[in-house]
Amino acid sequence: MASEDDDKPRKKVAHEIGQDLSLLSVDELGQRIALLTAEIERLRAAETKKRASKDAADRFFKS
């Protein structure tokens, strides 16, 4: 029996960690670098936000 997820279109994977890069052009490598750089920035922003929440909670409970 197929699950409901089988009917949904799958998102194309833009980059897979450890993938062979020898077949990519210079432009494709640049696009992936830009994609990964944006993702790193997004992760850092989320980390900063979570750290601020954690620090606020720590201050509240130490009071």
Side-chain angles (χ1 to χ4, degrees):
M1 184 171 199
S3 71
E4 291 179 18
D5 292 336
D6 292 341
D7 296 335
K8 295 180 183 177
R10 295 186 184 222
K11 186 175 181 181
K12 182 181 175 189
V13 176
H15 184 75
E16 185 176 325
I17 303 299
Q19 128 181 51
D20 180 15
L21 303 176
S22 64
L23 299 177
L24 299 176
S25 69
V26 172
D27 288 337
E28 290 171 319
L29 289 169
Q31 290 171 359
R32 290 182 186 213
I33 289 169
L35 174 75
L36 293 169
T37 300
E39 182 65 5
I40 289 168
E41 290 172 3
R42 187 178 77 88
L43 289 165
R44 286 192 173 138
E47 178 186 38
T48 299
K49 185 177 178 182
K50 286 187 180 255
R51 184 170 282 126
S53 295
K54 181 184 178 303
D55 291 347
D58 287 345
R59 283 191 305 274
F60 177 79
F61 288 108
K62 287 182 182 178
S63 298

